Amino acid sequence: GQQLNQSPQSMFIQEGEDVSMNCTSSSIFNTWLWYKQDPGEGPVLLIALYKAGELTSNGRLTAQFGITRKDSFLNISASIPSDVGIYFCAGQSYSGAGSYQLTFGKGTKLSVIP
Amino acid sequence: KAGVTQTPRYLIKTRGQQVTLSCSPISGHRSVSWYQQTPGQGLQFLFEYFSETQRNKGNFPGRFSGRQFSNSRSEMNVSTLELGDSALYLCASSLDRLAALSKPGANVLTFGAGSRLTVL
């Protein structure tokens, strides 16, 4: 099946620093989604990307849909303690016979040191 | 506006038993999809239901099944539980089908808090 390689797996940063994480795949995706999951909660959508090359911001978060449609990155600027959590990328793709699926990366666990 | 509600939040079962999990989508959402989350495999897509019909299916054995009712509420069932079925099961709802996620607009996928299943 399709796989998304998300990196880094975890990162420790100082409050105020910028953060960058990315997802790559050998498969093409129609849509890229970035989610954040807090402990004991379900993932919450941060940014959705719909076309190759698209660059979208949501406050301090910026994400881009790679021009090959096989990758995406998420940047967080000026990190704050509440940015702590696990960030997931997800790609929507056509799997044939009229079916679609959503594939997730393994997540990037972000820790922010005050 | 109420979010996606999953019940129960926690449950413990033993091997060989079966379990049924429930998901109430956001009002007006017609698609419900289910996911399994484990530390080793991450988030994996199980299946999607739309208008009471299974529309998409991931790579899980037939022990995993689901259904959707006319009010869009959905249940998933796992029969003959195995230790490896221990996981957080998440459901997500959206206005339209997963296929429409590629269309910019209001078809946002919203997750519930999950049901944590422990199999002993």
Side-chain angles (χ1 to χ4, degrees), chain A residues 31 35 37 40 42 50 92 99-100, chain B residues 9 37 56 98-99 101-102 112:
Chain A
T31 302
Y35 285 88
Q37 186 174 25
Y50 299 102
Q92 184 247 31
S99 295
Y100 288 79
Chain B
R9 287 296 306 274
Q37 186 175 29
N56 297 292
L98 282 182
L101 273 182
S102 57

Side-chain angles (χ1 to χ4, degrees), chain B residues 99-120:
Chain B
L101 273 182
S102 57
K103 299 177 185 176
N107 197 39
V108 173
L109 199 63
T110 304
F111 284 85
S115 293
R116 183 164 294 283
L117 170 66
T118 301
V119 182
L120 302 176

Side-chain angles (χ1 to χ4, degrees), chain B residues 44-83:
Chain B
Q44 293 184 287
F45 171 71
L46 280 156
F47 31 64
E48 178 201 12
Y49 284 86
F50 182 84
S51 293
E52 302 177 62
T53 302
Q54 188 180 90
R55 303 291 179 159
N56 297 292
K57 190 176 189 305
N59 297 320
F60 279 81
R63 299 186 297 108
F64 292 81
S65 62
R67 59 178 175 167
Q68 187 180 35
F69 302 94
S70 58
N71 61 358
S72 294
R73 189 177 71 85
S74 176
E75 290 181 345
M76 70 162 279
N77 185 77
V78 187
S79 62
T80 320
L81 284 166
E82 301 175 0
L83 295 178

Side-chain angles (χ1 to χ4, degrees), chain B residues 1 6 8 12 16-17 22 25 31 33 39 45 60 66 69 75 83 87:
Chain B
K1 188 175 182 181
Q6 291 189 247
I12 300 174
Q17 287 187 311
S22 179
S31 169
S33 49
F45 171 71
F60 279 81
F69 302 94
E75 290 181 345
L83 295 178

Side-chain angles (χ1 to χ4, degrees), chain A residues 8-90:
Chain A
Q9 283 187 324
S10 63
M11 49 196 319
F12 291 82
I13 59 167
Q14 289 286 142
E15 182 177 356
E17 287 185 345
D18 297 343
V19 173
S20 183
M21 59 192 78
N22 68 82
C23 279
T24 61
S25 176
S26 58
S27 304
I28 289 175
F29 291 94
N30 301 321
T31 302
W32 282 93
L33 307 168
W34 284 93
Y35 285 88
K36 181 190 177 206
Q37 186 174 25
D38 292 326
E41 301 295 328
V44 174
L45 180 67
L46 299 173
I47 292 179
L49 301 161
Y50 299 102
K51 59 181 182 181
E54 180 180 354
L55 183 71
T56 297
S57 294
N58 178 9
R60 294 178 296 106
L61 278 60
T62 302
Q64 185 158 28
F65 193 144
I67 57 173
T68 64
R69 295 167 61 192
K70 295 180 179 181
D71 62 340
S72 177
F73 72 75
L74 174 71
N75 288 342
I76 305 173
S77 63
S79 58
I80 59 178
S82 62
D83 290 334
V84 166
I86 302 178
Y87 292 79
F88 293 96
C89 62

